[in-house]
Each structure stands twice: as C-alpha cells, then as structure tokens.
C-alpha cells in the first residue's frame, strides 16, 4: 500500500520538462520493452578513510584530487535539505562512524527521526563502518557492528534489518552469519567474481539464500554492476534546462547503459521487481543531484512504452516483494575476487605491520574489557572501541589505504589505549608496560604477539630489586608457558607468595635475554608473580645459543661446482638436536632441505620468493581499453616463476638441554628463523630483514611428510573453516591465465589454515594461504608491489623489518570438523575433564558439552557450548551443585548476541552464555 501511494502521488507530479514530451513520438524509437518495476533509492558510499584520513573526510579538509570535495558533515546537511525539497525521495545510510557525529550536532533532530520513521531514510547495515571481509576477525566484525547497532537502537529505537556491504573485495560466509545473528535476514552485496555474476544471470540466481554451516540463511541480493552514479556517463545532461521531444529522445539514448543493467538484473532476479541504488563515493549532498534523478524517474513515469514503473523505494520495501519466492542456496563464500581481468588478492597481505597492530589492539581491548568487569575498575573504553571498530573498514585492515592514513588510524588507537592505561593506574601500572630496573627501561615481552603465551598483563614496580608482575589471562583456556624480557641475566621468578617456580630458565641471544617459566593460569584469571634481581645461588639457570651447524662455506663451494658443471653428490644425514627433536638434512644438487621430527611428527619449511612478472606500474592500466577504477592493491605475482629464496646456512641451538626446546636458523641476509618445539605444537618465528628484499611476494611453505589424505581449509574471519579446492569454485568455473596460478588459488585467512584432519597453522595476523603442492601449506607473508594504478597513487612497498609468528598444531580428528566447523583438542577444556563422576557424569558423559564457569560479583557467568549435532538441555540442579548457590537467570547471549528467550536449550554447535544472579541469602 505504501509503495502504491508513493507511486501514485509521484506519477501526478511529472517534471515540466518531461511533460512537454509527446510519448507517442518518443515511443516510435523504442525497440524493446523492459517490463519491470524499478525500486529506486540513493546512497553515498562513505569510506571511513582511504586517500584521506577519517577526520579529513568528515570535515572536508583533505586535499587529494579524487576526493577533494569529500565532507560528510556537508553531505548530510545537504541531504536533509534535499529530502525536505523532494518529499517522496528516499535515501539509505550505512556508516555510523560519520552519521553519529553529524546527527549529534545537527539542530533539526526531529526531522531526521521523522523520515526514519516514515521509511524515507533507511539505515542499512548500521555498523560503525563497512568492514573488510577477508582479514577482519569475526570478533572485531561483531564489535564494529554492535557499536553502530547499539547507538541506533538507543537513538531511534530501531534495529537495521538489511545488511549492506558493497565495497569489500569479496564476501565471507562468516559476515553473512553475523548479519543473521544481528537480526538482518536480508543483505546486499556487490564485489563478486565477474564470471560468477554472469553465471548467476543465466541461472536466475542474483538473489539467493546464503547459508552458513550453522544453518543461518540470509536472503542476498547481488548487484549486477558495482555501485556508481545513476549514469556512469552523461549525468550532467539531466541537469541541463532543455525540454521537448528532442530532449526526451536524447535522454533515453543516455539511459541505454542503465537499461542494459536493469535488463541483466531482472534476468538474474526472482521477480519482475528490480532494485537499483544510485550513488558513488561521497555523492548526493545537494538538491541538484536529487533533481537529476527526479527527471529520470519522471521520464519512465511519463513515457510508459518502456514499461518501467519507477518507485521511490528502500531495501526493506524491496525485499518484501521477494517473500514466498524460492531462491537457490549458496554455502561457500566469494573468494578470491576477480574483476577487470585480474584477481584482487594482494590486499590479503599488504601492510602486514598494520594488520598485526590491529590484532594486538583488539586483544588489548578484550583484555581491558574482561579485567574491568572482573575487578570493578571503570575504564574509558568507548573511544578505544570506536577506533578499533574504525580500523575494520575495508581499506583499513585490508591494508589498501595510503600509508599516512594508516599511520593516522594507528595513532588514534594508540592514544585511546594510552588513556586506558593511565586510568588503570597513572603512577605505577602499565598494561603491556615497561619494567624499570636500576634506571634502565626494558620492554616487557608482549604476550599478545605470541600465540603460545596468550596472555596480557599489568605490572608494578616496587623497588630496584623486585618487580611484581600481574598476569591476566583473557581467554577461557588455561596457559602454561610465559616469556618476559629481562634486563639482567641474574634473576628468577617466584609466585606472588614468594615460592620459587620450578621450571624456569633465562635464555640469551646476542644482547637480549628472556626468562621462560611454566605456571598454570586458568582462563579469565589473574595471578601475581615476583621477578627478583637480588639473587646469587637462587638465580634461574642461564642458557645461551651456540653455533651448531655452519654450511655457509660449503654452500658457496657447491655453487662454484655447479657453475663449473662439476657433479655434486647427493647427501642424506640425520642429527639429534634434543632428546625429542631430530633433524634430517637432504641435499639434491645445490639445494638443502631440512626436515624436523618432533614427537614422531615430521615437517620441513621453505621460504619462497615470487618476482614481479606482472604489472608493477601504472603503465599496465594505460594500455587497457577501459579507465582504471579507483581501487586497491590487487595482484600477487607469478607463481610459476617463483623459487626458493632461503637456503639455511647456519643453525644455533641452546647450549644446555632443557625442558624448553628452541633452535635458530640463519638464511642468508633475509631471514632469521626461530623454531620452538612445544608440548602442544611448534612455533615458527620469522624475522625478515627488509634491506635484502626485492619487489615481489614472499611466502613460507610447510611440508608435512606424514600427511597423505587431507583436505585444504581456510578460516572464515577466524570463525569456522571453509573447504577449498584448487581451480574450482562452488557455483561456476573460474577463469585462469597462465600467470594466475597463485592469484586464483590463494584464500584469505584471519587466524588459521588447515590440512584437515591432521594439521592446523595459526597466524598472528591476517594473511593469505594456498596449497598447490601436495602435502604442503603455504602462507604468503609479504607483498611488495609498485603502484597498481588503482587510485592510491603510491607503491605497495614499505620496507620495514617484520617478525611473523606461526604455530603448527597437530590435531586429532574431531567429529565437529565434519560439520565444517573447528575444534582444537588442546584448546577446549570441557567440563568432563574436571567433573567425571556422579551427578555430572550423566549430563556430560558423552563429551558433547563444554562448560566454563567463573564468578563476577554477585553473579556467575556460565558459557555452555554444544559440541554435538543434537540439542542439549542443561540441568539447573547440576549448575547449582557446581557453584554451590541457588540462582536465577538474568540474561543470556547466544553466540555473543542477546538471546530471545531465557531457557536451557542449547542447539547443535551453539554457544550460549548465561548470567546467573546468586541468592545471597544462602550465605
């Protein structure tokens, strides 16, 4: 009814210029009709930052030639004037990072509320930004989405119902699942492989149900062509003042490309209704733009032989027309993204320093959040949340903004983090702070960068001989191994009560020393330790590295033999490095291969370099027939021309055998490699020296000798794994050129990649993974490229030293993996590990339930995870026996989102978190 009313009123107020046209004369030129209902609205795509900083885009103070008129405050002010002048026009807004600060200073708030209530201004997506979907962690996506949604609910008492993320370079299944959990059962996307799009037009599946492994289904509208102005060419024509039959015929000639888009959209859609939104970066901030669109709408309303019925509409109104349809199902994702004859994959890896910093800052926020909740210390976290949410923008964590812009985002995060640290204790405590000893400041080891440590901490400086360190574990898993940087070799670790820690060791390399110690720290707990520098016989044992193997002269000799054409004998040798660590050395030709055996597991690692065989300059784009779109770093380099760059020539091991197994490898002038053999896995730390790097791509390849039958998986935003096959896609046949071997088969990872069911590799930041060679998993860690001509105007090359961390976990098969989900055996502590008798055995004896319980003031927080495929009903009597208190449920979260009902039902693979209020009268 609303749509009919809008169309009726609108059709009675045709523009005077259009009214002068004779429909009969104009219709004589019509060759075919479109026969569709056009649901039309406007929008402006607002990059949170890219070529300018966030503040510059907001205030209009930037100076770059592409976005020199970008000013979101100006845009929204002009938008309100236009919506007042055109009472039937509609508009949609998405990015709350700009809309919120504008609204809070806008004088006529009642008008804004009224057009939102009327449906003329629709808030779609509603996140702080439109986030990247390749490298952003699902926890950070939820953070930035919730930040916007909470403000929208508080301010307008609505919840967005339509997801809208149109400029991310590819789309993830996890994002769709998160949209579902946030209440958005419809969504709009754009950047999809062009071959997939044309296939979907043929299959009538531009609109489809996107299903996650958990069974969440979201009705998805895929736009045939990327967003842009209503007309890519000729929009100024409609701002002219000419009129009459000639004007109308010229106008329809201008609309040919637009009508072709509508035709394809209709062919690929579910009904005769077609949705189209006009708008480009920072567009439509005055009445002139609206008037141009009104003229075009009037043309179709007046010249009816085209059989296009224009309706000012909104996404919500459009999706209502798709009710009771039968769309096809999509289960995978949309990576890698292919457009303009190129795979856009370089952004998985570009600007790795920023990617790592965002991961670090996100962990700090989570830690501060939990620590504040448990201790009652109020911290100013709002600004830190906003800055980390801002970094999730697709040009942020995607690494595709200008370097000075990334630096600005990082600076904003750091300032917000420092404010929280100062509030924690302005005089003596720093989060991830500095340890002061004898007037020398030395950085405490940052566990957030170290997945095997997985803790964050604060510390107190009491005197020059003793430092008290408070370590807080923000995860639900317990932690055993810790590392702290030491300014002295004479030190030892004690518990907070003064008891000496049994397993501890000071490990020195060059001028740096670390103390490593073992102590069990349960999840969501803190524990105080003492570092004493006043020791003689009690000092922790010191272990230094010594050169164990030096092949540098031998390699040089072999190269001379090879160049002289002399034969080189193959070599196979074995060496025992530690009691449970063995090394095999194989030589074929001049190449050495090192294989390590630890706890009967064999693996080798190699480092590869792929020189830039493609375009690294703007010249490539100048040769093409189309104009380069303002875009991103795109291409990885030619896989077939890659080669081994790292030949290990030196190996160092610890002088004394101990419980901590560690070796260091040298590889020419480019790599320093640290391999740590732990109980649960193997950690590889790679230091890249930028002075030896050339333009191209750099990767680390793991080869697993005992992996025979496996499947390759990569994560979906760090949440659940997606199965990958080389040269294959779920819905279409991809296009490959001879140089696309790497580009077309690399997939983004936020946290891990797998060779299921045996091997998982964890990463310390977003990267790209592929498995082209049998029994290998390859992680691309650095992408050096020239200016790709995609609008940034600078090369993808910032030569700074990087330290990359990867952990290899050898997993036992788990039933949950067959459901396309993931469970690390060593990282889940289930209730059955602690409660296996009597009352609790009946409930959790099948090992399908994992419970985590911790106190919080007068409440208990209970996290219950169903690891099986059948619904589990929690027994409240069991919970009362565990916590020894009577309680009542005051709240519940289902997978991080507020649950609709407070019951004890936990569906298959669901995670439910309960707030249990304790009956204090029992005390």
């Amino acid at each position: 009814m609303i749509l009919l009313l809008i169309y009726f009123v609108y059709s009675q107020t045709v523009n005077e210029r259009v009214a002068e046209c004779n429909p009969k004369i104009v219709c004589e030129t019509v060759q075919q009709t479109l026969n569709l209902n056009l649901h039309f609205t406007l929008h402006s795509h607002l990059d949170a930052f890219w070529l300018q900083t966030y503040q510059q885009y907001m205030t209009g103070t930037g100076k770059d030639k592409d976005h020199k008129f970008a000013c979101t405050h100006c845009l929204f002010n002009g938008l309100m004037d236009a919506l007042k002048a055109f009472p039937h026009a509609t508009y949609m807004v998405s990015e709350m990072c700009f809309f919120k600060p504008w609204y809070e200073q806008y004088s006529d708030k009642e008008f804004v509320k009224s057009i939102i209530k009327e449906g003329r201004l629709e808030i779609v997506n509603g996140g702080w930004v439109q986030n990247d979907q390749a490298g952003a962690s699902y926890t950070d996506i939820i953070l930035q989405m919730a930040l916007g949604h909470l403000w929208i609910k508080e301010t307008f008492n609505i919840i967005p119902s339509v997801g809208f993320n149109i400029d991310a370079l590819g789309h993830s299944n996890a994002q769709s699942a998160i949209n579902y959990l946030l209440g958005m059962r419809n969504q709009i996307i754009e950047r999809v492989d062009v071959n997939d799009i044309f296939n979907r037009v043929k299959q009538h599946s531009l609109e489809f149900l996107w299903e996650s492994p958990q069974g969440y289904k979201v009705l998805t509208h895929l736009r045939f062509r990327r967003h842009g102005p209503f007309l890519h060419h000729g929009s100024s024509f409609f701002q002219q003042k000419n009129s009459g039959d000639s004007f109308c015929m010229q106008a329809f000639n201008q609309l040919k490309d637009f009508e072709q888009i509508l035709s394809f959209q209709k062919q690929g859609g579910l009904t005769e209704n077609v949705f189209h939104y006009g708008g480009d970066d920072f567009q439509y901030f005055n009445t002139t733009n609206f008037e141009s669109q009104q003229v075009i709408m009037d043309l179709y309303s007046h010249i009816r032989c085209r059989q296009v019925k224009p309706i000012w509409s909104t996404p919500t109104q459009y999706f209502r027309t798709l009710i009771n349809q039968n769309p096809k199902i999509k289960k995978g994702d949309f990576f890698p993204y292919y457009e303009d004859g190129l795979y856009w994959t370089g952004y998985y890896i570009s600007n790795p320093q920023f990617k790592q910093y965002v991961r670090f800052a996100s962990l700090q926020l989570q830690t501060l959040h939990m620590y504040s909740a448990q201790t009652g210390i109020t911290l100013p976290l709002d600004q830190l949340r906003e800055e980390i949410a801002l970094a999730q923008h697709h040009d942020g964590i995607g690494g595709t903004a200008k370097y000075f812009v990334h630096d600005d985002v990082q600076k904003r995060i750091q300032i917000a983090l420092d404010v929280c640290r100062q509030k924690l204790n302005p005089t003596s405590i720093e989060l991830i702070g500095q340890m002061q000893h004898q007037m020398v400041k030395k950085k405490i080891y940052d566990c957030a960068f170290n997945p095997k440590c997985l803790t964050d901490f604060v510390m107190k400086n009491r005197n020059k001989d003793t430092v008290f360190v408070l370590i807080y574990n923000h995860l639900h898993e317990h932690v055993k191994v810790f590392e702290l940087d030491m300014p002295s070799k004479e030190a030892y670790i004690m518990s907070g009560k003064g008891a000496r820690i049994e397993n501890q060791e000071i490990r020195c390399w060059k001028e740096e020393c670390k103390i490593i110690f073992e102590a069990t720290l349960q999840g969501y707990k803190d524990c105080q330790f003492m570092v004493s520098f006043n020791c003689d016989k009690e000092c922790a044992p010191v272990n230094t590295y010594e050169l164990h193997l030096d092949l540098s002269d031998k390699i040089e000799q072999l190269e001379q033999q090879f160049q002289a054409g002399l034969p080189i004998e193959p070599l196979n040798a074995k060496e025992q490095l530690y009691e449970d660590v063995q090394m095999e050395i194989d030589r074929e030709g001049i190449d050495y291969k090192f294989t390590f055996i630890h706890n009967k597991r064999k693996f080798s690692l190699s480092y590869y370099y792929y020189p830039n065989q493609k375009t690294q300059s703007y010249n490539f784009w100048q040769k093409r027939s189309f104009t380069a779109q303002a875009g991103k770093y795109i291409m990885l380099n030619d896989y077939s021309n890659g080669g081994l760059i790292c030949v290990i020539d030196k190996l160092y091991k610890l002088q004394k055998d101990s419980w901590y197994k560690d070796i260091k490898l040298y590889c020419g002038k480019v790599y320093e490699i640290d391999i740590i053999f732990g109980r649960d896995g193997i950690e590889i730390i790679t230091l890249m020296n930028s002075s030896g790097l050339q333009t191209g791509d750099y990767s680390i390849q793991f080869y697993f000798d005992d992996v025979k039958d496996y499947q390759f998986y990569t994560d979906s935003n760090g949440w659940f794994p997606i199965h990958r096959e080389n040269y294959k896609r779920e819905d279409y046949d991809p296009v490959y050129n001879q140089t696309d071997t790497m580009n077309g088969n690399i997939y983004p990872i936020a946290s891990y990649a797998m060779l299921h069911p045996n091997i998982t590799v964890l990463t310390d930041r977003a990267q790209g993974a592929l498995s082209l060679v049998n029994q290998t998993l390859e992680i691309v860690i650095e992408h050096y490229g020239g200016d790709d001509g995609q609008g940034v105007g600078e090369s993808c090359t910032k030569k700074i030293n990087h330290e990359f961390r990867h952990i290899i976990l050898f997993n036992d098969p788990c039933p949950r993996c067959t459901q396309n989900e993931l469970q690390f055996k060593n990282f889940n502590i289930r209730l059955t590990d602690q409660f296996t008798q009597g009352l609790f055995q009946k409930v959790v004896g099948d090992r399908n339930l994992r419970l985590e319980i911790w106190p919080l003031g007068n409440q208990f927080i209970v996290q219950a995870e169903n690891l099986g495929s059948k619904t589990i009903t929690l027994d409240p009597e069991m919970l009362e026996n565990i916590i020894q208190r009577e309680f009542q449920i005051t709240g519940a979260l289902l997978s991080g989102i507020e649950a609709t009902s407070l019951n004890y039902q936990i569906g298959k693979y669901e995670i439910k978190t309960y707030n249990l209020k304790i009956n204090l009268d029992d005390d």
Side-chain angles (χ1 to χ4, degrees):
M1 186 68 182
I2 294 175
L3 298 183
L4 293 176
L5 178 62
I6 291 175
Y7 175 66
F8 174 79
V9 174
Y10 166 69
S11 63
Q12 301 300 312
T13 56
V14 175
N15 185 277
E16 293 181 0
R17 297 159 62 198
V18 176
E20 295 180 10
C21 297
N22 186 330
K24 183 177 180 180
I25 295 176
V26 175
C27 286
E28 289 177 354
T29 64
V30 175
Q31 296 181 354
Q32 62 179 6
T33 60
L34 295 175
N35 191 26
L36 56 86
N37 300 317
L38 173 61
H39 289 251
F40 180 75
T41 189
L42 298 174
H43 91 297
S44 301
H45 177 63
L46 307 180
D47 287 313
F49 52 87
W50 179 30
L51 306 179
Q52 299 180 23
T53 67
Y54 168 64
Q55 196 68 26
Q56 287 173 332
Y57 277 150
M58 183 186 298
T59 59
T61 55
K63 297 181 180 180
D64 76 273
K65 59 182 178 62
D66 295 298
H67 289 167
K68 59 183 177 181
F69 299 117
C71 169
T72 59
H73 273 20
C74 311
L75 184 151
F76 288 127
N77 287 333
L79 172 63
M80 294 303 110
D81 294 339
L83 290 174
K84 290 175 181 177
F86 295 87
H88 307 302
T90 60
Y91 196 90
M92 55 183 180
V93 63
S94 173
E95 300 87 352
M96 294 304 101
C97 68
F98 290 123
F99 190 69
K100 177 179 181 286
W102 167 80
Y103 175 81
E104 290 177 343
Q105 56 83 47
Y106 186 59
S107 59
D108 195 356
K109 291 182 173 59
E110 292 305 314
F111 175 72
V112 180
K113 291 181 178 179
S114 68
I115 58 177
I116 289 177
K117 186 175 181 180
E118 293 168 4
R120 293 180 56 214
L121 178 63
E122 177 163 356
I123 299 178
V124 290
N125 195 58
W128 202 243
V129 297
Q130 289 189 32
N131 59 267
D132 175 60
Q133 296 186 37
S137 166
Y138 75 97
T139 56
D140 291 334
I141 295 174
I142 292 173
L143 164 72
Q144 76 89 14
M145 293 294 288
L147 192 63
H149 280 221
L150 289 171
W151 179 77
I152 294 166
K153 176 66 175 177
E154 179 183 333
T155 307
F156 305 111
N157 196 30
I158 60 172
I159 297 174
S161 62
V162 178
F164 187 78
N165 194 317
I166 59 172
D167 208 27
L169 305 180
H171 299 276
S172 73
N173 193 303
Q175 177 74 59
S176 182
I178 290 169
N179 287 348
Y180 178 94
L181 292 171
L182 289 170
M184 297 184 289
R185 306 303 162 82
N186 306 303
Q187 63 187 358
I188 298 169
I189 63 174
E190 282 190 17
R191 286 185 179 258
V192 167
D193 190 314
V194 65
N195 301 290
D196 193 359
I197 291 177
F198 279 106
N199 182 66
R200 289 183 175 277
V201 170
K202 296 176 184 177
Q203 301 296 324
H204 310 290
S205 59
L206 285 176
E207 289 160 341
F208 54 92
L209 274 178
W210 198 351
E211 184 176 2
S212 73
Q214 300 87 349
Y216 307 141
K217 296 178 181 178
V218 181
L219 181 57
T220 304
H221 171 88
L222 171 59
R223 178 165 162 144
F224 175 75
R225 181 185 286 182
R226 280 169 47 190
H227 65 277
F230 196 104
L231 300 175
H232 282 279
H233 304 286
S235 59
S236 60
F237 171 83
F238 293 92
Q239 298 177 11
Q240 301 173 10
K241 299 303 179 182
N242 50 337
S243 60
D245 296 340
S246 175
F247 164 74
C248 287
M249 286 188 284
Q250 291 181 50
F252 278 117
N253 188 55
Q254 294 284 339
L255 291 167
K256 281 183 179 180
D257 287 346
F258 172 65
E259 290 184 348
Q260 186 179 37
I261 295 172
L262 296 183
S263 177
F264 281 121
Q265 197 74 56
K266 179 189 174 185
Q267 183 181 346
L270 294 172
T271 69
E272 71 279 2
N273 296 290
V274 171
F275 182 62
H276 188 87
Y277 45 94
D280 208 343
D281 292 1
F282 304 98
Q283 278 201 335
Y284 301 114
F285 52 88
N286 57 45
T287 56
T288 302
N289 301 115
F290 269 78
E291 184 177 0
S292 299
Q293 315 312 313
Q294 184 94 27
V295 170
I296 297 171
M297 301 284 278
D298 287 344
L299 276 169
Y300 285 116
S301 179
H302 186 56
I303 312 297
R304 299 188 178 183
C305 55
R306 279 297 206 263
Q307 295 190 29
V308 174
K309 298 177 182 178
I311 304 169
W312 280 107
S313 185
T314 63
T316 295
Q317 292 174 3
Y318 173 73
F319 277 111
R320 288 174 187 159
T321 69
L322 304 183
I323 296 175
N324 299 325
Q325 299 302 313
N326 188 28
K328 296 180 179 179
I329 301 292
K330 163 78 175 179
K331 291 191 174 182
D333 60 16
F334 292 98
F335 293 110
Y337 168 59
Y338 179 87
E339 184 182 17
D340 297 337
L342 303 164
Y343 280 99
W344 296 47
T345 50
Y347 77 102
Y348 300 167
I349 304 103
S350 59
N351 204 340
Q353 181 274 334
F354 184 79
K355 286 177 166 65
Q356 185 188 42
Y357 182 81
V358 172
R359 174 76 60 86
F360 156 77
S362 177
L363 286 172
Q364 302 308 290
L365 175 60
Q366 294 176 41
T367 302
L368 287 165
H369 215 332
M370 291 298 299
Y371 191 75
S372 175
Q374 289 187 301
T375 61
I377 298 175
T378 302
L379 297 175
L381 296 175
D382 289 346
Q383 190 63 35
L384 183 58
R385 290 191 193 100
E386 290 185 7
E387 302 302 349
I388 292 176
L390 192 76
Q392 307 313 312
H393 170 56
H394 55 77
D395 288 315
I397 192 66
T400 56
K402 282 182 174 289
Y403 280 115
F404 85 89
V405 176
H406 273 132
D407 292 343
D408 176 75
V409 176
Q410 186 166 326
K411 180 181 178 181
R412 294 172 64 95
I413 294 173
Q414 192 62 48
I415 290 173
L417 186 57
D418 289 343
V419 170
C420 293
R421 289 171 172 169
Q422 294 166 10
K423 179 67 176 179
L424 194 61
N425 191 313
T427 57
S428 60
I429 298 181
E430 294 183 29
L431 185 68
I432 310 302
Q434 305 285 329
M435 181 164 61
Q436 187 171 348
H437 174 59
Q438 296 178 348
M439 305 305 291
V440 177
K441 279 201 169 185
K442 184 82 173 176
K443 186 176 183 299
I444 286 287
Y445 188 80
D446 183 359
C447 294
F449 282 122
N450 186 355
K452 82 173 184 305
C453 185
L454 288 173
T455 61
D456 304 295
F457 56 88
V458 295
M459 56 153 297
K460 294 181 179 180
N461 175 32
R462 294 291 176 84
N463 56 57
K464 66 179 182 179
D465 294 325
T466 304
V467 173
F468 285 74
V469 180
L470 182 66
I471 301 182
Y472 175 74
N473 181 9
H474 71 276
L475 301 176
H476 71 261
E477 302 94 30
H478 66 276
V479 177
K480 291 185 176 180
V481 180
F482 303 90
E483 286 188 3
L484 302 176
D485 281 0
M486 287 291 109
S488 170
K489 293 181 181 180
E490 298 180 351
Y492 67 100
I493 291 283
M494 296 180 291
S495 69
K497 296 180 179 180
R500 182 183 176 89
I501 303 295
E502 182 178 352
N503 282 337
Q504 60 177 289
E505 178 178 286
I506 291 179
R507 181 167 52 97
C508 295
W509 170 247
K510 297 181 180 178
E511 301 299 322
E512 298 180 358
C513 290
K514 300 178 186 291
I515 191 165
I516 301 99
F517 63 99
E518 279 192 320
T520 299
L521 179 55
Q522 301 296 332
Y524 305 113
K525 300 289 184 181
D526 56 38
C527 186
Q528 185 170 263
F529 298 91
M530 291 190 292
V531 183
S532 176
F533 301 99
N534 185 14
C535 65
D536 40 42
K537 295 180 181 179
E538 292 183 325
C539 291
V542 177
N543 210 341
T544 58
Y545 292 89
E546 61 181 8
L547 184 62
H548 181 78
L549 180 67
D550 188 347
L551 294 174
S552 53
D553 292 339
K554 186 67 175 177
I555 290 173
E556 185 177 342
Q557 179 185 343
L558 291 172
E559 288 177 345
Q560 293 174 357
Q561 288 181 236
F562 178 78
Q563 293 174 0
L566 300 176
I568 299 175
E569 294 182 2
L571 172 68
N572 179 267
K574 294 184 179 181
E575 240 190 283
Q576 200 74 29
L577 298 178
Y578 297 108
E579 181 181 350
D580 56 352
V581 179
Q582 191 180 61
M583 178 178 67
E584 293 182 359
I585 305 175
D586 293 283
R587 186 182 69 211
E588 185 172 346
I590 62 174
D591 292 330
Y592 279 90
K593 178 183 177 183
F594 291 80
T595 302
F596 300 96
I597 303 100
H598 175 57
N599 292 336
K600 299 181 181 180
R601 302 281 194 175
K602 296 178 68 174
F603 82 98
S604 61
L605 71 159
S606 305
Y607 291 82
Y608 284 86
Y609 166 64
Y610 303 99
N612 199 321
Q613 300 294 323
K614 289 188 174 182
T615 165
Q616 67 176 55
S617 69
Y618 193 72
N619 294 333
F620 174 82
W621 289 100
Q622 293 176 327
K623 296 176 182 177
R624 300 190 65 90
S625 59
F626 54 84
T627 303
Q629 300 294 323
K632 327 293 173 186
Y633 304 126
I634 32 177
M635 296 164 295
L636 295 176
N637 296 301
D638 188 358
Y639 189 87
S640 60
N641 286 315
L644 189 70
I645 187 176
C646 172
V647 178
I648 297 170
D649 54 8
K650 292 182 182 180
L651 184 150
Y652 295 81
K653 62 170 288 189
L654 288 165
Q655 188 176 13
K656 304 171 186 176
D657 198 359
S658 70
W659 59 276
Y660 192 85
K661 317 297 183 185
D662 188 4
I663 64 171
K664 293 184 179 293
L665 307 174
Y666 266 73
C667 191
K669 297 180 179 180
V670 178
Y671 294 105
E672 296 179 24
I673 306 155
D674 199 357
I675 305 179
I676 302 166
F677 299 89
R679 292 181 175 88
D680 297 329
I682 298 170
E683 181 178 7
I684 292 93
I685 304 171
T686 304
L687 175 64
M688 291 182 68
N689 299 307
S690 63
S691 60
L693 299 181
Q694 303 295 322
T695 301
D697 297 296
Y698 295 80
S699 73
I700 176 173
Q701 184 185 94
F702 302 99
Y703 174 83
F704 302 98
D705 186 73
D706 52 354
V707 175
K708 305 300 181 185
D709 185 17
Y710 68 91
Q711 292 179 314
F712 174 45
Y713 285 80
T714 61
D715 68 8
S716 186
N717 300 112
W719 186 356
F720 47 80
I722 300 285
H723 182 221
R724 307 298 189 183
E725 292 185 83
N726 293 326
Y727 304 103
K728 289 185 180 180
R729 302 291 186 271
E730 177 185 1
D731 304 303
Y732 65 101
D733 294 324
V735 171
Y736 288 94
N737 298 318
Q738 61 180 0
T739 57
D740 284 330
T741 309
M742 175 185 283
N743 286 288
N745 292 296
I746 188 171
Y747 296 92
I749 54 174
S751 299
Y752 63 87
M754 301 174 65
L755 297 183
H756 177 67
N758 304 105
I759 307 295
T760 300
V761 175
L762 304 178
T763 68
D764 66 345
R765 73 199 76 190
Q767 292 173 330
L770 62 158
S771 180
L772 285 172
V773 180
N774 193 34
Q775 299 173 261
T776 67
L777 187 60
E778 188 167 359
I779 310 291
V780 181
I781 58 177
E782 181 61 288
H783 172 59
Y784 282 131
D787 179 13
D788 62 8
Q790 291 298 285
V792 178
E794 62 186 20
S795 62
C796 182
T797 306
K798 190 176 184 181
K799 288 192 174 182
I800 58 176
N801 292 346
H802 292 296
E803 185 178 89
F804 301 96
R805 292 175 178 264
H806 298 88
I807 288 184
I808 304 172
L809 296 178
F810 298 97
N811 306 315
D812 293 328
C814 65
R816 205 171 178 197
C817 296
T818 63
Q819 302 295 328
N820 210 24
E821 291 207 23
L822 181 68
Q823 169 200 345
F824 293 133
K825 178 181 177 183
N826 295 325
F827 279 61
N828 275 337
I829 307 169
R830 304 174 189 167
L831 188 62
T832 46
D833 294 334
Q834 303 167 31
F835 301 92
T836 57
Q837 297 178 359
L839 176 66
F840 314 118
Q841 188 174 15
K842 179 180 178 181
V843 179
V844 297
D846 61 355
R847 297 185 64 83
N848 283 333
L849 175 67
R850 182 187 64 77
L851 284 182
E852 289 291 337
I853 303 173
W854 63 93
L856 182 61
N858 66 338
Q859 297 185 79
F860 273 85
I861 308 300
V862 176
Q863 186 182 80
E865 181 176 10
N866 184 352
L867 303 175
S869 58
K870 296 181 180 179
T871 298
I872 292 177
T873 302
L874 275 180
D875 183 354
E877 185 178 342
M878 175 198 71
L879 294 177
E880 288 182 355
N881 277 274
I882 294 175
I883 66 177
Q884 298 294 302
R885 293 287 193 280
E886 290 184 359
F887 62 82
Q888 63 184 39
I889 302 179
T890 59
L893 299 176
L894 179 59
S895 297
I897 310 301
E898 187 173 353
T900 55
S901 60
L902 302 179
N903 58 52
Y904 292 100
Q905 300 290 323
I906 307 173
K908 64 177 183 179
Y909 309 122
E910 285 184 345
I911 300 174
K912 211 165 188 177
T913 304
Y914 297 92
N915 296 331
L916 308 181
K917 185 177 180 181
I918 308 164
N919 187 350
L920 296 178
D921 294 337
D922 291 346
D923 296 333

